[in-house]
Amino acid sequence: MFSLLFIAAETFAQQTLDNLLPVRGFSIAAPKPNEVDRFIKFVNEELAPKGINTLLLRVDYNFQYESYPKLRDSIALSKADVKKLVDAFTKKNIRVIPQINLLGHQSWASKVVGLLRVFPEFDETPHVKMPEKYEWPNPDGLYCKSYCPLHPDVHKVVFALIDEICDAFKSTAFHAGMDEVFYIGDDKCPRCGGRDKAELFAGEVNTIRNHLALKNRELWIWGDRLIDGKTTGMGIWEASMNNTHRAVDLINKDVVICDWHYERPDQTAVYFAMKGFRVLTCPWRRPDVTTAQVEDMARFRKYATNGMKDRYYGIMQTVWMGCGQFMDNYYGVKTEMSERNKELAAKGISDWDSFRAMTKKIDELSKAAK
Ligand SMILES: [Zn+2]
């Protein structure tokens, strides 16, 4: 009898939490092969007990792809490593969503990465040479390179990678990144030049979305390209200054938007929900902002119409450092850090303190809702 009561109480607590915020997410770079066991321990001891039910793993080329082995990182997860991870997540009812950065983020600083490393012919801006020493701002407006979404051979590769990684992770969703795309519809691209940038962006989103839909998988993307940077004052990073934002009305409504805002708790989740999308608010490292974002999302759901409520999908902590480095910091192990990050961390401004603030606020709100 007592055990039945206990199960009933557990189920009720779970329902309360799911009603408060259906998705309690955590996003991080996939662990390196030698970090797999430690990460599973972290999942079992920290993520699952704190109610995290969705894990976005930025895998990119940290996987031993068989379709295009040349794309693999020099040290990359094997199928057996991935199976071990997936088994651990499944035991804890955590949904895993693998990510490969598509369209943008095909270079970093002075190095070409991603698809362009192996397929330079996919470069949207081959006339922009990689600098020896990268500096921002620069005359080319080079932040990251993009691939050309209209190159006739690009999707053969992209689709093979997506299928392989989703099969390996047994995932029902895939995250395509697609944030901070500065190079799109370049005037000098023989295929894209002169075309509408919003249509080009939406075309690529829908192409990937349609491919995933063939296997009943859904597409998740970052939301910044869909926000008007000029009107909102949000600028070129967390919003679009190159007119891609009108794509918000051109992409399929079943794409899930990961709406990241790191400095202020911007209310853009309302915008995406009103446009018909499920939306997650994504904090980074300012615990006060994170706490407000959890409160906002819970409040949006509380006062939403039935039509809108399910679109306020939840919250997802983003971590922008290596998996091992995050765990070191989380557990207070000393690691190499830039002076600036050290200074901020000393003030409690860090990915790990934000994560603690997020889960603390979720816990408080769910207790109050009982
Ligand atoms: Zn092009």
Side-chain angles (χ1 to χ4, degrees), residues 267-325:
Q267 313 285 294
T268 38
V270 180
Y271 175 72
F272 286 115
M274 290 186 77
K275 287 286 184 184
F277 297 99
R278 282 169 295 162
V279 57
L280 297 167
T281 296
C282 303
W284 177 31
R285 66 178 181 181
R286 294 188 174 272
D288 53 335
V289 174
T290 306
T291 301
Q293 286 168 318
V294 176
E295 286 170 341
D296 284 345
M297 185 52 79
R299 189 170 45 244
F300 296 152
R301 286 179 60 78
K302 188 174 174 185
Y303 297 115
T305 61
N306 284 335
M308 292 274 284
K309 185 174 176 180
D310 290 343
R311 295 188 207 132
Y312 293 116
Y313 210 23
I315 191 121
M316 180 166 71
Q317 171 67 42
T318 58
V319 171
W320 295 106
M321 58 175 61
C323 189
Q325 200 190 358

Short mmCIF file of all heavy atoms in Angstrom, two decimals, residues 267-325:
data_model
loop_
_atom_site.label_atom_id
_atom_site.label_comp_id
_atom_site.label_asym_id
_atom_site.label_seq_id
_atom_site.Cartn_x
_atom_site.Cartn_y
_atom_site.Cartn_z
N GLN A 267 11.60 38.59 -24.47
CA GLN A 267 10.31 37.90 -24.45
C GLN A 267 9.95 37.29 -25.81
O GLN A 267 8.77 37.12 -26.15
CB GLN A 267 9.22 38.89 -24.03
CG GLN A 267 9.58 39.73 -22.81
CD GLN A 267 9.50 38.96 -21.51
OE1 GLN A 267 8.42 38.56 -21.09
NE2 GLN A 267 10.63 38.74 -20.88
N THR A 268 10.94 36.95 -26.60
CA THR A 268 10.69 36.51 -27.97
C THR A 268 9.98 35.15 -28.07
O THR A 268 9.49 34.80 -29.14
CB THR A 268 12.02 36.45 -28.74
OG1 THR A 268 13.02 35.95 -27.84
CG2 THR A 268 12.43 37.80 -29.25
N ALA A 269 9.94 34.40 -26.96
CA ALA A 269 9.20 33.12 -27.01
C ALA A 269 7.75 33.38 -27.42
O ALA A 269 7.14 32.58 -28.14
CB ALA A 269 9.26 32.43 -25.66
N VAL A 270 7.21 34.51 -26.96
CA VAL A 270 5.82 34.84 -27.29
C VAL A 270 5.66 35.02 -28.81
O VAL A 270 4.69 34.55 -29.41
CB VAL A 270 5.38 36.14 -26.56
CG1 VAL A 270 3.94 36.50 -26.90
CG2 VAL A 270 5.56 35.99 -25.05
N TYR A 271 6.63 35.68 -29.40
CA TYR A 271 6.62 35.90 -30.85
C TYR A 271 6.58 34.57 -31.60
O TYR A 271 5.75 34.36 -32.49
CB TYR A 271 7.86 36.71 -31.22
CG TYR A 271 8.08 36.94 -32.70
CD1 TYR A 271 7.28 37.82 -33.42
CD2 TYR A 271 9.12 36.29 -33.36
CE1 TYR A 271 7.51 38.05 -34.77
CE2 TYR A 271 9.36 36.51 -34.71
CZ TYR A 271 8.55 37.39 -35.41
OH TYR A 271 8.77 37.60 -36.75
N PHE A 272 7.49 33.66 -31.22
CA PHE A 272 7.54 32.37 -31.92
C PHE A 272 6.26 31.56 -31.70
O PHE A 272 5.74 30.94 -32.62
CB PHE A 272 8.77 31.57 -31.49
CG PHE A 272 10.05 32.10 -32.05
CD1 PHE A 272 11.04 32.65 -31.23
CD2 PHE A 272 10.28 32.08 -33.43
CE1 PHE A 272 12.22 33.14 -31.77
CE2 PHE A 272 11.47 32.57 -33.97
CZ PHE A 272 12.43 33.11 -33.14
N ALA A 273 5.77 31.57 -30.46
CA ALA A 273 4.55 30.81 -30.18
C ALA A 273 3.37 31.38 -30.98
O ALA A 273 2.55 30.63 -31.51
CB ALA A 273 4.25 30.83 -28.68
N MET A 274 3.31 32.70 -31.09
CA MET A 274 2.22 33.31 -31.85
C MET A 274 2.34 33.04 -33.34
O MET A 274 1.35 33.07 -34.07
CB MET A 274 2.15 34.81 -31.58
CG MET A 274 1.68 35.11 -30.17
SD MET A 274 1.42 36.86 -29.86
CE MET A 274 -0.14 37.12 -30.70
N LYS A 275 3.56 32.78 -33.80
CA LYS A 275 3.76 32.41 -35.20
C LYS A 275 3.46 30.94 -35.45
O LYS A 275 3.54 30.46 -36.57
CB LYS A 275 5.21 32.71 -35.62
CG LYS A 275 5.53 34.19 -35.77
CD LYS A 275 4.92 34.74 -37.06
CE LYS A 275 5.30 36.20 -37.28
NZ LYS A 275 4.63 36.77 -38.47
N GLY A 276 3.18 30.21 -34.37
CA GLY A 276 2.77 28.80 -34.55
C GLY A 276 3.83 27.76 -34.23
O GLY A 276 3.62 26.58 -34.50
N PHE A 277 4.97 28.21 -33.67
CA PHE A 277 6.06 27.26 -33.40
C PHE A 277 6.11 26.86 -31.93
O PHE A 277 5.82 27.66 -31.05
CB PHE A 277 7.42 27.91 -33.72
CG PHE A 277 7.59 28.26 -35.16
CD1 PHE A 277 7.38 29.57 -35.59
CD2 PHE A 277 7.94 27.29 -36.09
CE1 PHE A 277 7.54 29.90 -36.93
CE2 PHE A 277 8.10 27.62 -37.43
CZ PHE A 277 7.90 28.93 -37.85
N ARG A 278 6.57 25.64 -31.68
CA ARG A 278 6.99 25.28 -30.33
C ARG A 278 8.34 25.96 -30.09
O ARG A 278 9.19 25.96 -30.98
CB ARG A 278 7.13 23.77 -30.19
CG ARG A 278 5.79 23.04 -30.02
CD ARG A 278 5.97 21.55 -30.15
NE ARG A 278 6.40 21.21 -31.49
CZ ARG A 278 6.96 20.06 -31.85
NH1 ARG A 278 7.19 19.14 -30.94
NH2 ARG A 278 7.30 19.82 -33.10
N VAL A 279 8.50 26.51 -28.91
CA VAL A 279 9.71 27.30 -28.63
C VAL A 279 10.27 26.98 -27.25
O VAL A 279 9.53 26.81 -26.28
CB VAL A 279 9.42 28.82 -28.79
CG1 VAL A 279 8.28 29.27 -27.88
CG2 VAL A 279 10.67 29.66 -28.54
N LEU A 280 11.61 26.88 -27.21
CA LEU A 280 12.33 26.70 -25.94
C LEU A 280 13.14 27.96 -25.71
O LEU A 280 13.82 28.43 -26.63
CB LEU A 280 13.34 25.58 -26.05
CG LEU A 280 12.87 24.17 -26.32
CD1 LEU A 280 14.06 23.31 -26.69
CD2 LEU A 280 12.21 23.63 -25.08
N THR A 281 13.13 28.49 -24.51
CA THR A 281 14.03 29.58 -24.18
C THR A 281 15.35 28.97 -23.71
O THR A 281 15.35 28.02 -22.93
CB THR A 281 13.42 30.47 -23.09
OG1 THR A 281 12.24 31.07 -23.62
CG2 THR A 281 14.39 31.57 -22.66
N CYS A 282 16.46 29.54 -24.22
CA CYS A 282 17.77 28.95 -23.93
C CYS A 282 18.71 29.95 -23.27
O CYS A 282 19.18 30.88 -23.91
CB CYS A 282 18.40 28.45 -25.24
SG CYS A 282 17.38 27.27 -26.10
N PRO A 283 18.95 29.78 -21.97
CA PRO A 283 19.92 30.64 -21.27
C PRO A 283 21.35 30.13 -21.42
O PRO A 283 21.58 29.04 -21.94
CB PRO A 283 19.49 30.52 -19.81
CG PRO A 283 18.66 29.29 -19.69
CD PRO A 283 18.26 28.84 -21.08
N TRP A 284 22.29 30.96 -20.94
CA TRP A 284 23.69 30.54 -20.99
C TRP A 284 24.35 30.65 -19.62
O TRP A 284 24.42 29.69 -18.88
CB TRP A 284 24.46 31.35 -22.06
CG TRP A 284 25.92 31.05 -22.16
CD1 TRP A 284 26.54 29.85 -21.89
CD2 TRP A 284 26.96 31.96 -22.54
NE1 TRP A 284 27.89 29.95 -22.11
CE2 TRP A 284 28.18 31.22 -22.50
CE3 TRP A 284 26.97 33.30 -22.92
CZ2 TRP A 284 29.41 31.81 -22.82
CZ3 TRP A 284 28.19 33.88 -23.26
CH2 TRP A 284 29.40 33.15 -23.20
N ARG A 285 24.80 31.89 -19.24
CA ARG A 285 25.65 31.89 -18.05
C ARG A 285 25.35 32.95 -17.01
O ARG A 285 26.10 33.11 -16.07
CB ARG A 285 27.11 31.98 -18.48
CG ARG A 285 27.48 33.29 -19.15
CD ARG A 285 28.97 33.26 -19.49
NE ARG A 285 29.38 34.52 -20.10
CZ ARG A 285 30.61 34.77 -20.52
NH1 ARG A 285 31.54 33.85 -20.39
NH2 ARG A 285 30.91 35.93 -21.07
N ARG A 286 24.27 33.71 -17.19
CA ARG A 286 23.93 34.71 -16.17
C ARG A 286 22.77 34.18 -15.33
O ARG A 286 21.62 34.22 -15.77
CB ARG A 286 23.55 36.04 -16.82
CG ARG A 286 24.72 36.69 -17.52
CD ARG A 286 24.41 38.10 -17.99
NE ARG A 286 25.60 38.71 -18.52
CZ ARG A 286 26.49 39.39 -17.78
NH1 ARG A 286 26.29 39.58 -16.50
NH2 ARG A 286 27.57 39.88 -18.35
N PRO A 287 23.06 33.71 -14.13
CA PRO A 287 22.01 33.07 -13.33
C PRO A 287 20.77 33.94 -13.13
O PRO A 287 19.66 33.41 -13.12
CB PRO A 287 22.71 32.79 -12.00
CG PRO A 287 24.15 32.65 -12.35
CD PRO A 287 24.38 33.62 -13.47
N ASP A 288 20.95 35.27 -13.01
CA ASP A 288 19.77 36.12 -12.80
C ASP A 288 18.88 36.12 -14.06
O ASP A 288 17.65 36.06 -13.97
CB ASP A 288 20.18 37.55 -12.42
CG ASP A 288 21.16 38.18 -13.40
OD1 ASP A 288 21.90 37.43 -14.09
OD2 ASP A 288 21.18 39.42 -13.51
N VAL A 289 19.50 36.13 -15.23
CA VAL A 289 18.75 36.09 -16.48
C VAL A 289 18.06 34.72 -16.61
O VAL A 289 16.88 34.63 -16.95
CB VAL A 289 19.68 36.34 -17.70
CG1 VAL A 289 18.93 36.16 -19.02
CG2 VAL A 289 20.28 37.74 -17.63
N THR A 290 18.81 33.68 -16.31
CA THR A 290 18.28 32.32 -16.40
C THR A 290 17.04 32.15 -15.51
O THR A 290 16.02 31.61 -15.95
CB THR A 290 19.37 31.31 -15.95
OG1 THR A 290 20.53 31.55 -16.73
CG2 THR A 290 18.91 29.88 -16.12
N THR A 291 17.15 32.62 -14.27
CA THR A 291 16.03 32.51 -13.34
C THR A 291 14.80 33.22 -13.89
O THR A 291 13.69 32.68 -13.87
CB THR A 291 16.43 33.13 -11.97
OG1 THR A 291 17.58 32.42 -11.51
CG2 THR A 291 15.32 33.01 -10.95
N ALA A 292 15.01 34.42 -14.44
CA ALA A 292 13.88 35.16 -15.02
C ALA A 292 13.30 34.41 -16.21
O ALA A 292 12.08 34.39 -16.43
CB ALA A 292 14.35 36.56 -15.45
N GLN A 293 14.16 33.76 -16.99
CA GLN A 293 13.68 33.03 -18.18
C GLN A 293 12.83 31.82 -17.79
O GLN A 293 11.84 31.52 -18.45
CB GLN A 293 14.87 32.62 -19.05
CG GLN A 293 15.46 33.83 -19.80
CD GLN A 293 16.79 33.54 -20.46
OE1 GLN A 293 17.66 32.89 -19.87
NE2 GLN A 293 16.99 34.03 -21.67
N VAL A 294 13.21 31.15 -16.72
CA VAL A 294 12.39 30.02 -16.24
C VAL A 294 11.03 30.55 -15.77
O VAL A 294 9.98 30.01 -16.12
CB VAL A 294 13.09 29.25 -15.08
CG1 VAL A 294 12.16 28.16 -14.54
CG2 VAL A 294 14.40 28.66 -15.56
N GLU A 295 11.07 31.64 -14.99
CA GLU A 295 9.81 32.22 -14.49
C GLU A 295 8.93 32.66 -15.65
O GLU A 295 7.72 32.44 -15.66
CB GLU A 295 10.11 33.44 -13.59
CG GLU A 295 10.65 33.05 -12.23
CD GLU A 295 11.16 34.25 -11.45
OE1 GLU A 295 11.43 35.32 -12.06
OE2 GLU A 295 11.32 34.11 -10.22
N ASP A 296 9.55 33.32 -16.66
CA ASP A 296 8.78 33.80 -17.82
C ASP A 296 8.10 32.64 -18.54
O ASP A 296 6.91 32.70 -18.85
CB ASP A 296 9.70 34.52 -18.82
CG ASP A 296 10.08 35.91 -18.35
OD1 ASP A 296 9.42 36.42 -17.42
OD2 ASP A 296 11.03 36.49 -18.92
N MET A 297 8.87 31.59 -18.83
CA MET A 297 8.31 30.47 -19.58
C MET A 297 7.14 29.83 -18.82
O MET A 297 6.11 29.51 -19.39
CB MET A 297 9.42 29.46 -19.89
CG MET A 297 9.03 28.29 -20.76
SD MET A 297 8.20 28.64 -22.34
CE MET A 297 9.54 29.12 -23.41
N ALA A 298 7.32 29.69 -17.50
CA ALA A 298 6.24 29.11 -16.69
C ALA A 298 5.02 30.03 -16.71
O ALA A 298 3.88 29.57 -16.80
CB ALA A 298 6.74 28.89 -15.26
N ARG A 299 5.26 31.33 -16.67
CA ARG A 299 4.14 32.29 -16.68
C ARG A 299 3.44 32.32 -18.04
O ARG A 299 2.23 32.37 -18.12
CB ARG A 299 4.65 33.69 -16.29
CG ARG A 299 3.52 34.70 -16.07
CD ARG A 299 4.02 36.01 -15.46
NE ARG A 299 5.22 36.46 -16.11
CZ ARG A 299 6.41 36.57 -15.52
NH1 ARG A 299 6.55 36.30 -14.26
NH2 ARG A 299 7.45 36.99 -16.20
N PHE A 300 4.24 32.26 -19.12
CA PHE A 300 3.62 32.23 -20.45
C PHE A 300 2.65 31.05 -20.55
O PHE A 300 1.55 31.16 -21.07
CB PHE A 300 4.68 32.07 -21.56
CG PHE A 300 5.64 33.22 -21.69
CD1 PHE A 300 6.93 33.00 -22.19
CD2 PHE A 300 5.28 34.50 -21.35
CE1 PHE A 300 7.83 34.04 -22.33
CE2 PHE A 300 6.18 35.56 -21.48
CZ PHE A 300 7.46 35.32 -21.97
N ARG A 301 3.09 29.90 -20.03
CA ARG A 301 2.24 28.70 -20.09
C ARG A 301 1.00 28.86 -19.22
O ARG A 301 -0.09 28.50 -19.62
CB ARG A 301 3.03 27.46 -19.63
CG ARG A 301 4.04 26.99 -20.65
CD ARG A 301 4.81 25.78 -20.15
NE ARG A 301 3.95 24.65 -19.84
CZ ARG A 301 3.43 23.82 -20.74
NH1 ARG A 301 3.69 23.98 -22.01
NH2 ARG A 301 2.65 22.82 -20.37
N LYS A 302 1.22 29.43 -18.04
CA LYS A 302 0.11 29.56 -17.09
C LYS A 302 -1.03 30.41 -17.66
O LYS A 302 -2.19 30.10 -17.47
CB LYS A 302 0.65 30.18 -15.79
CG LYS A 302 -0.35 30.20 -14.66
CD LYS A 302 0.30 30.69 -13.38
CE LYS A 302 -0.72 30.85 -12.28
NZ LYS A 302 -0.11 31.43 -11.07
N TYR A 303 -0.68 31.47 -18.35
CA TYR A 303 -1.72 32.40 -18.81
C TYR A 303 -2.03 32.25 -20.31
O TYR A 303 -2.68 33.11 -20.89
CB TYR A 303 -1.33 33.84 -18.49
CG TYR A 303 -1.21 34.08 -17.00
CD1 TYR A 303 0.00 34.40 -16.40
CD2 TYR A 303 -2.35 33.93 -16.19
CE1 TYR A 303 0.09 34.59 -15.03
CE2 TYR A 303 -2.25 34.11 -14.81
CZ TYR A 303 -1.03 34.43 -14.25
OH TYR A 303 -0.95 34.60 -12.89
N ALA A 304 -1.56 31.17 -20.92
CA ALA A 304 -1.78 31.00 -22.36
C ALA A 304 -3.17 30.44 -22.65
O ALA A 304 -3.78 29.80 -21.80
CB ALA A 304 -0.72 30.05 -22.92
N THR A 305 -3.65 30.69 -23.86
CA THR A 305 -4.86 30.01 -24.32
C THR A 305 -4.50 28.54 -24.55
O THR A 305 -3.32 28.18 -24.63
CB THR A 305 -5.32 30.57 -25.68
OG1 THR A 305 -4.27 30.35 -26.64
CG2 THR A 305 -5.65 32.05 -25.60
N ASN A 306 -5.52 27.71 -24.70
CA ASN A 306 -5.24 26.30 -25.00
C ASN A 306 -4.46 26.16 -26.30
O ASN A 306 -3.63 25.29 -26.46
CB ASN A 306 -6.54 25.50 -25.09
CG ASN A 306 -7.10 25.24 -23.70
OD1 ASN A 306 -6.35 25.24 -22.71
ND2 ASN A 306 -8.41 25.05 -23.62
N GLY A 307 -4.73 27.05 -27.24
CA GLY A 307 -4.05 27.00 -28.52
C GLY A 307 -2.56 27.29 -28.40
O GLY A 307 -1.74 26.70 -29.10
N MET A 308 -2.21 28.17 -27.50
CA MET A 308 -0.81 28.61 -27.37
C MET A 308 0.01 27.79 -26.38
O MET A 308 1.22 27.66 -26.52
CB MET A 308 -0.78 30.07 -26.90
CG MET A 308 -1.29 31.08 -27.90
SD MET A 308 0.00 31.59 -29.05
CE MET A 308 0.94 32.69 -27.98
N LYS A 309 -0.67 27.25 -25.38
CA LYS A 309 0.07 26.68 -24.24
C LYS A 309 1.12 25.64 -24.65
O LYS A 309 2.27 25.70 -24.20
CB LYS A 309 -0.92 26.05 -23.24
CG LYS A 309 -0.21 25.57 -21.99
CD LYS A 309 -1.17 25.07 -20.92
CE LYS A 309 -0.37 24.51 -19.76
NZ LYS A 309 -1.20 24.00 -18.68
N ASP A 310 0.74 24.70 -25.50
CA ASP A 310 1.67 23.62 -25.85
C ASP A 310 2.88 24.11 -26.63
O ASP A 310 3.86 23.39 -26.75
CB ASP A 310 0.94 22.53 -26.65
CG ASP A 310 -0.05 21.78 -25.79
OD1 ASP A 310 0.07 21.88 -24.55
OD2 ASP A 310 -0.94 21.12 -26.34
N ARG A 311 2.76 25.31 -27.21
CA ARG A 311 3.91 25.82 -27.97
C ARG A 311 5.00 26.38 -27.05
O ARG A 311 6.14 26.50 -27.46
CB ARG A 311 3.44 26.91 -28.95
CG ARG A 311 2.53 26.33 -29.99
CD ARG A 311 2.22 27.34 -31.07
NE ARG A 311 0.93 27.01 -31.64
CZ ARG A 311 -0.05 27.87 -31.85
NH1 ARG A 311 0.12 29.15 -31.57
NH2 ARG A 311 -1.19 27.46 -32.35
N TYR A 312 4.61 26.75 -25.84
CA TYR A 312 5.64 27.15 -24.86
C TYR A 312 6.23 25.86 -24.32
O TYR A 312 5.71 25.26 -23.38
CB TYR A 312 5.02 27.99 -23.74
CG TYR A 312 4.53 29.34 -24.22
CD1 TYR A 312 3.18 29.67 -24.18
CD2 TYR A 312 5.42 30.27 -24.73
CE1 TYR A 312 2.72 30.90 -24.63
CE2 TYR A 312 4.98 31.51 -25.18
CZ TYR A 312 3.63 31.81 -25.13
OH TYR A 312 3.19 33.02 -25.57
N TYR A 313 7.29 25.43 -24.95
CA TYR A 313 7.73 24.05 -24.83
C TYR A 313 8.64 23.82 -23.62
O TYR A 313 8.72 22.73 -23.10
CB TYR A 313 8.46 23.71 -26.13
CG TYR A 313 8.39 22.27 -26.58
CD1 TYR A 313 7.36 21.42 -26.16
CD2 TYR A 313 9.33 21.77 -27.47
CE1 TYR A 313 7.30 20.11 -26.60
CE2 TYR A 313 9.27 20.46 -27.92
CZ TYR A 313 8.26 19.64 -27.47
OH TYR A 313 8.20 18.34 -27.91
N GLY A 314 9.36 24.85 -23.21
CA GLY A 314 10.22 24.66 -22.05
C GLY A 314 11.49 25.49 -22.09
O GLY A 314 11.53 26.55 -22.73
N ILE A 315 12.51 24.98 -21.43
CA ILE A 315 13.75 25.74 -21.23
C ILE A 315 14.95 24.82 -21.43
O ILE A 315 14.86 23.63 -21.15
CB ILE A 315 13.73 26.36 -19.80
CG1 ILE A 315 14.84 27.38 -19.59
CG2 ILE A 315 13.76 25.31 -18.71
CD1 ILE A 315 14.33 28.73 -19.22
N MET A 316 16.04 25.36 -21.95
CA MET A 316 17.23 24.51 -22.17
C MET A 316 18.50 25.28 -21.88
O MET A 316 18.83 26.27 -22.55
CB MET A 316 17.25 24.01 -23.63
CG MET A 316 18.46 23.12 -23.92
SD MET A 316 18.29 22.21 -25.47
CE MET A 316 18.46 23.55 -26.66
N GLN A 317 19.23 24.82 -20.88
CA GLN A 317 20.54 25.39 -20.57
C GLN A 317 21.51 25.09 -21.71
O GLN A 317 21.60 23.95 -22.16
CB GLN A 317 21.07 24.78 -19.27
CG GLN A 317 22.51 25.12 -18.94
CD GLN A 317 22.70 26.60 -18.61
OE1 GLN A 317 21.89 27.19 -17.91
NE2 GLN A 317 23.77 27.20 -19.12
N THR A 318 22.23 26.12 -22.18
CA THR A 318 23.26 25.87 -23.20
C THR A 318 24.64 25.99 -22.56
O THR A 318 24.89 26.90 -21.76
CB THR A 318 23.16 26.87 -24.37
OG1 THR A 318 23.29 28.20 -23.87
CG2 THR A 318 21.84 26.75 -25.10
N VAL A 319 25.51 25.07 -22.92
CA VAL A 319 26.90 25.08 -22.44
C VAL A 319 27.80 25.24 -23.64
O VAL A 319 27.70 24.47 -24.60
CB VAL A 319 27.23 23.76 -21.71
CG1 VAL A 319 28.71 23.67 -21.40
CG2 VAL A 319 26.41 23.64 -20.43
N TRP A 320 28.67 26.24 -23.60
CA TRP A 320 29.53 26.52 -24.76
C TRP A 320 30.99 26.28 -24.41
O TRP A 320 31.84 27.13 -24.60
CB TRP A 320 29.28 27.93 -25.30
CG TRP A 320 27.88 28.03 -25.82
CD1 TRP A 320 26.83 28.67 -25.23
CD2 TRP A 320 27.36 27.45 -27.03
NE1 TRP A 320 25.70 28.53 -25.99
CE2 TRP A 320 25.99 27.78 -27.10
CE3 TRP A 320 27.91 26.67 -28.06
CZ2 TRP A 320 25.16 27.36 -28.15
CZ3 TRP A 320 27.10 26.25 -29.10
CH2 TRP A 320 25.74 26.60 -29.14
N MET A 321 31.26 25.13 -23.86
CA MET A 321 32.65 24.70 -23.64
C MET A 321 32.64 23.19 -23.81
O MET A 321 31.58 22.57 -23.94
CB MET A 321 33.14 25.12 -22.26
CG MET A 321 32.31 24.58 -21.11
SD MET A 321 33.00 24.99 -19.49
CE MET A 321 32.98 26.75 -19.50
N GLY A 322 33.82 22.59 -23.78
CA GLY A 322 33.89 21.14 -23.93
C GLY A 322 33.17 20.45 -22.78
O GLY A 322 33.01 21.01 -21.69
N CYS A 323 32.76 19.23 -23.05
CA CYS A 323 32.02 18.45 -22.07
C CYS A 323 32.88 18.21 -20.81
O CYS A 323 32.43 18.41 -19.68
CB CYS A 323 31.64 17.12 -22.72
SG CYS A 323 30.52 16.14 -21.79
N GLY A 324 34.12 17.80 -21.03
CA GLY A 324 35.02 17.54 -19.90
C GLY A 324 35.28 18.79 -19.10
O GLY A 324 35.28 18.77 -17.86
N GLN A 325 35.50 19.88 -19.81
CA GLN A 325 35.79 21.15 -19.12
C GLN A 325 34.59 21.60 -18.27
O GLN A 325 34.75 22.09 -17.16
CB GLN A 325 36.16 22.24 -20.14
CG GLN A 325 36.91 23.37 -19.48
CD GLN A 325 37.08 24.58 -20.40
OE1 GLN A 325 36.67 24.58 -21.56
NE2 GLN A 325 37.68 25.61 -19.87
#
